[in-house]
Amino acid sequence: MKQNIIYSIMLLCALSACGGNDDDEDMQQPVISDQNIVANPIDCQQYKRGEVIPFHYLMTDNQELGAYNIEIHNNFDHHTHSTTATECPMDAAKSPKKAWVYNEDFTIPSGLCTYDARHDIKIPSDIDPGDYHFMIRLTDRAGWQQLHAVAVKIVE
């Protein structure tokens, strides 16, 4: 209960801090945050085929948020997106046979500077297990974008 009150106060403060008028030029990127929430997914987490990834991140902007995209793709070739310094243990490189590709756009309601984004993303039960990237792209109304890439593993 106490945590809910604290979170509500933080959300109200963030909403009231949403500033600027239409004449102000927005020159700041939006922020994908794990502050004061239990963010998910985070680097190195493992999920089983057929289960759900409970996505949860806090998104903020100095003026107004726009939309976000979630993309999940295989990392069987060990490429990188370099948004964190965390290194996760990886399977041997391999060629995909039935790799999972997820790509979904989400609109944030107009006028918001803070948005608590949550989705349950179903993992298909017949995909290749292995290393995957979970990518979040957040765009504000001015067009600035922030990218957050997380390395996850899908297991049998």
Side-chain angles (χ1 to χ4, degrees), residues 15-133:
L15 288 173
S16 65
C18 186
N21 57 42
D22 292 339
D23 296 333
D24 291 340
E25 188 174 354
D26 184 355
M27 299 300 291
Q28 294 182 22
Q29 289 181 310
V31 176
I32 301 166
S33 175
D34 60 2
Q35 296 299 308
N36 301 311
I37 64 167
V38 178
N40 200 68
I42 58 173
D43 277 319
C44 307
Q45 282 185 310
Q46 292 189 8
Y47 300 93
K48 292 182 180 176
R49 295 187 296 180
E51 292 185 343
V52 166
I53 297 175
F55 170 76
H56 184 203
Y57 274 88
L58 188 63
M59 301 176 178
T60 61
D61 188 61
N62 64 315
Q63 290 193 353
E64 185 176 0
L65 292 165
Y68 62 102
N69 170 275
I70 297 174
E71 177 192 340
I72 303 168
H73 62 265
N74 78 75
N75 187 21
F76 300 165
D77 63 355
H78 298 172
H79 67 274
T80 183
H81 296 284
S82 301
T83 65
T84 65
T86 304
E87 290 190 32
C88 304
M90 297 181 73
D91 295 343
K94 64 180 181 180
S95 296
K97 291 182 178 65
K98 190 170 184 184
W100 182 27
V101 177
Y102 177 92
N103 195 329
E104 189 77 31
D105 294 323
F106 300 92
T107 301
I108 298 171
S110 295
L112 296 181
C113 293
T114 301
Y115 186 72
D116 189 12
R118 296 174 184 249
H119 301 283
D120 286 336
I121 300 171
K122 176 86 166 133
I123 303 168
S125 58
D126 61 346
I127 61 164
D128 293 338
D131 299 302
Y132 284 83
H133 283 145

